Amino acid sequence: MNEQSIEKELLLIPDSIRKMITGKEYTTSGIGKSGSTVMIFDDCVLKILNSRLYDEEPSVRVMNWLDGKIPAPKALAFEKDEKYQYLLMSRIPGEMSCSRYYLEHPKELVLLLAEALKMFWSIDISDCPKCGSLDDELKAARYRVENNLVDTSDVEPETYGGNGFENPEALLKWLENNKPDYEPVLSHGDFCLPNIFIEDGHISGFIDVGDTGVGDKWKDIALCYRSLKHNFDGTYGGRVYPDFNPDVLFDVLGIEPDWEKIKYFILLDELF
């Protein structure tokens, strides 16, 4: 989003939130695929989303529930109107796990990512306020397909055409007909390297927790694996870090990879 568009959006920010950020310097983030405007201040972050595409109220409930369980942003203020939703959050300290240092030190990185995954898996989900099922995710995917909201330009090369699927409709049909067994845990929902922050060699927190809730264990593993692979092979960021095999993630986690589930959840994510 260009500077002029951002300034226009600033004028629309509700007074209750504007009072909390007036006079503060900020930068904007272009990382991510949500299509939102993200304004980053020294001590907080403001996320502005399209009300037609997103409903952040469940995210606010999840953020409040996560407080004290894992290091995640705290919801400081939330407002919405017919066009936009405004979520002001505390800022997580540290640097993204896809920073140059950690890409140059993959052994450290993978150990920390495994620790981060296990942090989520260790949390009791019995009272989690967001308990969606795979059917719920497929329902959301169907809405996106039927309303032409799927971006087919930002996908894995093999997803469409050739040996892939003809179009998002065909992919959705395959996903609906090939649902795997469900292994519920607390899932981040978008467990990619830019969403995991590190400070002083430790996990300092997680961002973009709007999709956090009860989900399949292998969803986070699949998205973590894809993120690792593409941060090192140059797909993300443009720089290749050679001699790294993302399969080491499974060794550190102490589990055998379930490639069918990994494939399934990467394909499901192509519709979001």
Side-chain angles (χ1 to χ4, degrees), residues 17-208:
I17 294 178
R18 193 190 316 218
K19 292 176 182 177
M20 302 174 74
I21 61 174
T22 296
K24 294 183 178 183
E25 295 186 359
Y26 66 89
T27 59
T28 57
S29 171
I31 293 180
K33 302 191 297 182
S34 68
S36 60
T37 297
V38 180
M39 302 171 61
I40 303 173
F41 302 88
D42 284 342
D43 59 350
C44 59
V45 175
L46 176 61
K47 199 170 185 179
I48 305 173
L49 303 103
N50 187 325
S51 289
R52 176 172 171 263
L53 301 178
Y54 299 97
D55 178 11
E56 285 296 281
E57 288 192 78
S59 302
V60 174
R61 289 195 291 271
V62 169
M63 291 170 70
N64 291 334
W65 181 79
L66 288 173
D67 190 19
K69 295 179 174 66
I70 61 170
K74 293 179 173 60
L76 304 176
F78 176 69
E79 299 283 351
K80 68 177 182 177
D81 55 37
E82 292 182 357
K83 290 186 176 180
Y84 296 106
Q85 300 192 21
Y86 306 85
L87 176 58
L88 185 67
M89 306 167 281
S90 61
R91 183 175 175 180
I92 294 296
E95 61 182 343
M96 294 178 182
S97 62
C98 54
S99 69
R100 182 168 178 174
Y101 172 84
Y102 285 104
L103 294 180
E104 291 178 346
H105 297 80
K107 291 183 179 179
E108 290 182 47
L109 173 61
V110 175
L111 285 171
L112 287 166
L113 292 175
E115 176 189 339
L117 285 166
K118 291 177 180 179
M119 286 172 68
F120 277 87
W121 300 345
S122 69
I123 294 175
D124 181 7
I125 58 175
S126 60
D127 63 342
C128 180
K130 195 170 184 179
C131 298
S133 64
L134 183 53
D135 285 336
D136 292 324
E137 290 195 60
L138 290 169
K139 182 179 179 181
R142 176 161 289 283
Y143 177 85
R144 292 180 61 81
V145 170
E146 291 178 347
N147 289 275
N148 298 314
L149 299 175
V150 177
D151 181 3
T152 57
S153 66
D154 186 17
V155 296
E156 297 291 295
E158 64 274 12
T159 297
Y160 300 111
N163 295 323
F165 297 92
E166 181 181 357
N167 50 42
E169 291 85 353
L171 170 54
L172 176 61
K173 185 176 181 180
W174 183 90
L175 291 166
E176 290 174 336
N177 292 332
N178 291 275
K179 292 185 294 184
D181 294 334
Y182 192 55
E183 299 179 58
V185 296
L186 183 66
S187 166
H188 177 281
D190 189 16
F191 199 100
C192 301
L193 271 60
N195 291 337
I196 295 92
F197 275 57
I198 301 170
E199 185 176 50
D200 298 329
H202 301 281
I203 298 295
S204 57
F206 306 91
I207 66 169
D208 280 357

